[in-house]
Amino acid sequence: MAKFDLKNLLKDNTYPGRGIVIGKSKDGKNALIAYFIMGRSENSRNRIFEEFDGGMRTKAFDESKLTDPSLIIYNPFLQINDSDIITNGDQTDTVYNYIKEFGDDGFSFEKALYTREFEPDKPNYTPRISGILNYDFANKAFNYKMSILKSANGNPEVCNRYFYGYNPLDGIGHFIHTYLHDGNPIPSFYGEPEEVELPNTAEELASLVWENLNEDNKVSLFVRAIPLDGSKATQIIINKNK
């Protein structure tokens, strides 16, 4: 049994910010990814997710209301070779470009993220959270890593970088989010990614996450289920703005 209940972690927290869930379906057939964004300001809430070939982007729902795109418009999800990259900022492109240029020696994820740090949004200094899944479809297997880059308890003079590697277990995933909870300034996530129980399908995971995110603050959700037999993945996008 997982240490935490994903439903409770979401419904009991009005503002986890942006969050990544990665793990393996309960039946062992799929790798699962979920990524959500939330917002308190009009600029943050004025967004949707949009798929494109090989990835997914954020974009303004109403372009006329977009005031500062620097930290809210990016590619949360990109594919390269047999890897899926999922992050809460433009470090998705950093990891992608590093692998594209230098190849993947097993530590490309870490090396790429050592060139980045937390977001410069004083006084929150929002952490950069990232994940990568590496597939071995011939053996119906995968592994995944997660990372968080954050200030030293709000001190912007220091960037602390944490990395976690996982060999998946059936029905188990890990959840990392930018903030512990709402606040002013908003306190950064603390500790290891939270171990949570996962269902079988993208539809079940999407329902679990979307229905338990705070109604006022949730903005968009992306869920991806990747069959380990190499067949076509299922992707779901839910946007509050329609």
Side-chain angles (χ1 to χ4, degrees), residues 48 56 134 154 184 196:
I48 58 171
M56 183 269 289
N134 301 300
N184 190 22
V196 295

Side-chain angles (χ1 to χ4, degrees), residues 131-165:
I132 189 168
L133 297 83
N134 301 300
Y135 299 101
D136 177 7
F137 292 115
N139 292 302
K140 297 184 179 181
F142 75 106
N143 60 63
Y144 61 100
K145 297 178 181 180
M146 305 183 88
S147 171
I148 184 168
L149 316 179
K150 61 181 184 174
S151 67
N153 296 318
N155 181 352
E157 299 301 315
V158 176
C159 179
N160 292 324
R161 298 174 175 87
Y162 302 87
F163 297 91
Y164 308 90

Side-chain angles (χ1 to χ4, degrees), residues 9 17 24 37 44 52 56 62 67 91 95 97 119 129 135 138 155 159 164 190 192:
L9 289 175
K24 195 175 185 181
I37 60 172
S44 292
F52 61 89
M56 183 269 289
D62 184 343
T67 57
Q91 72 268 26
V95 176
N97 290 332
E119 295 180 357
I129 55 174
Y135 299 101
N155 181 352
C159 179
Y164 308 90
Y190 187 84
E192 294 186 16

Side-chain angles (χ1 to χ4, degrees), residues 23-25 27-32 82 133-144 166-170 226-231:
K24 195 175 185 181
S25 63
D27 60 14
K29 295 180 179 180
N30 299 297
L32 294 173
D82 285 333
L133 297 83
N134 301 300
Y135 299 101
D136 177 7
F137 292 115
N139 292 302
K140 297 184 179 181
F142 75 106
N143 60 63
Y144 61 100
Y166 300 99
N167 290 310
L169 294 171
D170 292 357
I226 308 93
L228 297 179
D229 63 7
S231 54

Side-chain angles (χ1 to χ4, degrees), residues 37 47-50 56-60 72-76:
I37 60 172
R47 287 184 288 173
I48 58 171
F49 285 166
E50 180 182 76
M56 183 269 289
R57 63 172 67 91
T58 65
K59 64 177 296 186
I72 66 168
I73 303 300
Y74 55 91
N75 299 319

